[in-house]
Amino acid sequence: MKLIISIVHRDDVDTLLKALIDGGHKATLISTTGGFLREGNATVFIGAENDHVEEILSLVKENCHKRTRYLSPIVPVTEPSEFYIPEPVELEVGGATVFVADVERHERY
Ligand code: 2BA
């Protein structure tokens, strides 16, 4: 068995969960925060038999989309602001950051 941990954009999580549940998979959603942007994102935990992993990864790939974010750099206090025109920095976020880990044991009581 594997544990698929998938960090996705909040706007993609409803369609992803629907696709997973419609496909007969089990999932748990937790609200998370990206360490770099400090913006809310969503993490989905999916416990899966080994032969379902590729199908689940395809669902994640199909339902999670890349987004471009522009970050405005902070003007350094040492720079006279009239001479400093900060260029926004372009970041590509997502579609999904996925980890697949071995599960040593799984019980339901
Ligand atoms: P954040 O940490 O908020 O990162 C958002 C985006 O900012 C990243 O998109 C990447 O484009 C950029 N970024 C992150 N760290 C950076 C750095 N040190 N220098 C320059 N740019 C950086 P993604 O790579 O698609 O990541 C989306 C979210 O997935 C991340 O949100 C974080 O919550 C999670 N994530 C990504 N890689 C991870 C990892 N190795 N371990 C744990 N969480 C991860």
Side-chain angles (χ1 to χ4, degrees):
M1 193 177 195
K2 302 283 185 192
L3 179 63
I4 301 169
I5 301 163
S6 186
I7 304 162
V8 306
H9 197 278
R10 284 179 298 185
D11 292 347
D12 290 331
V13 78
D14 285 340
T15 49
L16 173 60
L17 284 176
K18 184 173 185 319
L20 288 168
I21 301 307
D22 287 352
H25 307 292
K26 295 181 180 176
T28 294
L29 167 67
I30 57 172
S31 295
T32 44
T33 302
F36 189 70
L37 293 178
R38 306 293 169 94
E39 286 181 354
N41 53 26
T43 298
V44 182
F45 287 87
I46 310 148
E49 297 302 332
N50 290 353
D51 55 351
H52 291 161
V53 169
E54 292 310 316
E55 180 189 329
I56 290 166
L57 294 182
S58 298
L59 290 173
V60 174
K61 200 172 170 185
E62 280 164 27
N63 288 283
C64 299
H65 307 289
K66 285 186 174 40
R67 287 171 175 82
T68 303
R69 286 274 282 107
Y70 294 92
L71 282 189
S72 298
I74 297 160
V75 180
V77 284
T78 51
E79 292 284 339
S81 54
E82 64 268 29
F83 301 123
Y84 186 84
I85 302 163
E87 286 285 319
V89 179
E90 186 177 308
L91 285 181
E92 189 177 83
V93 183
T97 298
V98 181
F99 302 91
V100 180
D102 288 326
V103 173
E104 198 171 304
R105 185 168 161 171
H106 166 238
E107 303 285 355
R108 288 180 74 219
Y109 297 111

